[in-house]
Amino acid sequence: MSFQSNQRPETGAFFARDRGWHAPALTPEYKTSILRSPQRPLLSLDGTISEITGPVFGHSMIGELDNDLIQNYARPGESAIGERIIVHGRVLDESARPVRGALLEFWQANAGGRYRHKKETYLAAIDPNFGGCGRTITDDDGHYAFRTVKPGPYPWPNGVNDWRPAHIHFSVFGHGFAQRLITQMYFEGDPMIWKCPIVQTIPDRAAIEQLIAPLDWGQTIPMDARAFKFDIVLRGRRSTLFENRLEGN
Amino acid sequence: MVQEPHRLKETPSQTAGPYVHIGLTPNFCDIHGVYDTDLGTAMVNDKTLGERITLRGRIFDGADTVLRDSMVEIWQADSAGFHNSPSELRGTADANFTGWGRCPTSGEDGFFHFDTIKPGKVPYKDGRWMAPHITLWIVARGINIGLHTRAYFSDEAEANAVDPLLLRIEHRARVETMIAQRDGNTYSIDIHLQGPKETVFLDI
Ligand SMILES: [Fe+3]
């Protein structure tokens, strides 16, 4: 019953991915990529129904504390240790339209830079009240928000003295499987961003800056938590107005 | 000056890192109590229509070492060839089939493993049919942007022979890298990230 274009089912193929904006597969300064990077050209395929479609996740699957990493692993009456922050923003597509119903999953180290993982060997302490994962789904305007503690930086085995700047890992589902994206968010003003070989896999400085969340003073909750704003852009779709008609279906 | 099309840039991808399982399958790596179950572990239920199959495989790096820290997601049509998505306008997908699965490749042997159903064929853009296939998406430490590929089925030789995507693979020997081999109800496919057996990966 709606005339709004954003109510139409989305059936257009996605804009071609700008591979030059992303990191190439082979980035020798990030050593693990050397043996894990395909060497042959990718086979280009204008999206078919298998890539234009994607799974849908309903708000009903989200638990009450899923977007609160300070509480979702904490013992009753306790909470995670660290600088309390809100991370919020919008998920848009390349045409600047909000992506509603996008599932965001995030994971991070604790305030000391330590992950809760059996393979993790960094000597920083485990926080018994911090699991390190959360998730949420965007609203009709593409907005999301979650609460956590600011993760600490941590050293990692690559060069002799490589450190990851403070970061939060994000996994994003849009509406088509071709939009599937995993990325990392960094914090405004962190000088370590520019020393990190994983950050530096991205060739364009402007692209790196797209991953840096500014302090959002206006959204700070007084006496409680500072806010950082991180907008995410997924691939946009071509209009289907002048698409060739599908035959045989 | 001309008008600008005002397009935003896609958020750049970054590696999923060594601890992707903390975020996406926390129960698998012993973080219990946050989510009841890990997403994507059950694609079918008792009422799902179609032939029950298992898709399994491993991922190898350029030194032929098995990856034990990666994660695979799959997306596929139901047994009638419909996707469980609002963008599927040709028909209604089986409500008892999610079409989407997620599995870590960790532990001792590095296998991923999906209990699913064999998908139906789906149309290509020009009206030809694509052979039944499952889309795979692979992320891991050392992979800067998720890798898309497909698994086709060894017992669909006729449909595979006219599949519009497989036909476009210039080096015909590489078609085999996308064919999962049937043994009973299990289809096996090995993914090679590089080297002489490198899998055909897609820019979609
Ligand atoms: Fe990390």
Side-chain angles (χ1 to χ4, degrees):
Chain A
M1 290 301 288
S2 171
F3 296 102
Q4 290 175 34
S5 62
N6 64 1
Q7 300 291 312
R8 275 204 309 267
E10 299 169 302
T11 56
F14 292 97
F15 300 140
R17 193 165 235 163
D18 182 354
R19 292 269 165 184
W21 186 248
H22 291 278
L26 176 61
T27 48
E29 299 300 309
Y30 174 28
K31 293 179 183 174
T32 317
S33 76
I34 294 174
L35 284 175
R36 295 185 171 194
S37 44
Q39 295 168 326
R40 313 259 192 143
L42 303 178
L43 179 64
S44 295
L45 177 73
D46 193 19
T48 74
I49 190 80
S50 299
E51 294 81 31
I52 289 168
T53 55
V56 172
F57 301 94
H59 290 268
S60 61
M61 64 166 249
I62 301 292
E64 201 184 336
L65 291 178
D66 283 6
N67 69 344
D68 187 352
L69 282 70
I70 293 180
Q71 295 297 338
N72 71 11
Y73 194 79
R75 292 180 286 227
E78 299 185 15
S79 58
I81 290 172
E83 301 175 28
R84 298 164 62 87
I85 61 170
I86 306 283
V87 178
H88 76 108
R90 293 178 80 198
V91 180
L92 304 169
D93 71 12
E94 288 170 291
S95 303
R97 294 183 301 192
V99 181
R100 68 179 63 173
L103 172 67
L104 302 183
E105 297 163 282
F106 17 86
W107 66 100
Q108 63 170 87
N110 71 22
R114 172 78 185 249
Y115 282 99
R116 179 175 291 279
H117 196 283
K118 60 177 181 290
K119 285 191 192 158
E120 160 77 284
T121 55
Y122 184 33
L123 48 79
I126 287 270
D127 177 348
N129 290 308
F130 187 73
C133 62
R135 63 187 177 189
T136 188
I137 290 181
T138 59
D139 68 16
D140 283 350
D141 289 321
H143 283 287
Y144 75 91
F146 64 94
R147 188 164 74 158
T148 186
V149 293
K150 192 175 178 205
Y154 57 84
W156 59 296
N158 185 62
V160 170
N161 185 31
D162 279 327
W163 290 68
R164 297 304 325 281
H167 64 277
I168 299 176
H169 297 265
F170 278 72
S171 161
V172 191
F173 279 88
H175 299 168
F177 205 59
Q179 288 177 308
R180 194 77 181 83
L181 182 73
I182 280 182
T183 190
Q184 303 182 29
M185 181 202 108
Y186 303 97
F187 292 85
E188 178 185 15
D190 184 348
M192 292 174 58
I193 293 170
W194 307 103
K195 300 180 189 301
C196 173
I198 286 177
V199 173
Q200 299 295 338
T201 60
I202 299 172
D204 189 321
R205 188 181 172 103
I208 293 172
E209 286 172 344
Q210 202 176 348
L211 300 180
I212 303 176
L215 176 66
D216 186 351
W217 196 245
Q219 288 293 333
T220 290
I221 304 172
M223 309 302 287
D224 183 343
R226 293 175 303 154
F228 288 86
K229 186 166 194 293
F230 184 54
D231 290 336
I232 295 167
V233 180
L234 303 180
R235 295 168 67 184
R237 286 181 196 262
R238 296 203 299 262
S239 160
T240 53
L241 288 176
F242 298 99
E243 289 272 312
N244 292 333
R245 266 194 117 71
L246 285 177
E247 293 166 40
N249 61 91
Chain B
M1 288 290 281
V2 298
Q3 295 186 4
E4 282 188 57
H6 286 301
R7 194 145 296 153
L8 302 176
K9 300 296 288 182
E10 186 187 9
T11 297
S13 170
Q14 289 256 266
T15 178
Y19 304 127
V20 59
H21 301 155
I22 291 177
L24 302 188
T25 53
N27 288 289
F28 171 82
C29 60
D30 296 328
I31 297 176
H32 298 289
V34 182
Y35 312 142
D36 291 342
T37 56
D38 291 335
L39 277 184
T41 48
M43 300 177 68
V44 296
N45 63 37
D46 293 344
K47 296 184 205 134
T48 305
L49 303 173
E51 182 189 357
R52 303 302 169 112
I53 62 165
T54 296
L55 178 71
R56 75 198 287 261
R58 287 177 296 178
I59 303 171
F60 296 87
D61 71 9
D64 258 348
T65 299
V66 173
L67 271 63
R68 293 182 171 82
D69 55 5
S70 59
M71 195 201 71
V72 181
E73 288 182 0
I74 65 172
W75 172 241
Q76 64 169 94
D78 69 9
S79 61
F82 299 126
H83 294 85
N84 193 348
S85 160
S87 304
E88 176 65 86
L89 300 181
R90 298 170 302 123
T92 305
D94 181 357
N96 291 301
F97 182 59
T98 68
W100 175 75
R102 171 185 277 173
C103 187
T105 69
S106 187
E108 290 81 63
D109 53 13
F111 276 99
F112 61 84
H113 173 282
F114 296 94
D115 290 324
T116 182
I117 52 102
K118 195 168 174 190
K121 58 185 182 177
V122 299
Y124 191 61
K125 299 168 82 81
D126 59 7
R128 285 182 288 167
W129 290 97
M130 294 192 283
H133 62 270
I134 294 175
T135 296
L136 289 88
W137 187 71
I138 298 154
V139 293
R141 177 173 70 99
I143 295 175
N144 289 327
I145 184 165
L147 298 171
H148 285 275
T149 185
R150 286 183 179 180
Y152 288 84
F153 300 94
S154 63
D155 54 341
E156 296 283 347
E158 231 172 275
N160 293 343
V162 294
D163 179 81
L165 183 149
L166 294 178
L167 283 174
R168 289 192 42 215
I169 298 174
E170 193 179 335
H171 300 98
R172 300 308 295 163
R174 300 191 69 210
V175 171
E176 279 302 303
T177 68
M178 296 180 102
I179 311 282
Q181 299 298 323
R182 180 160 202 160
D183 180 11
N185 285 325
T186 298
Y187 290 89
S188 297
I189 189 162
D190 281 337
I191 308 290
H192 292 269
L193 298 179
Q194 57 178 239
K197 291 180 281 185
E198 183 176 314
T199 296
V200 174
F201 295 107
L202 305 174
D203 183 18
I204 52 176

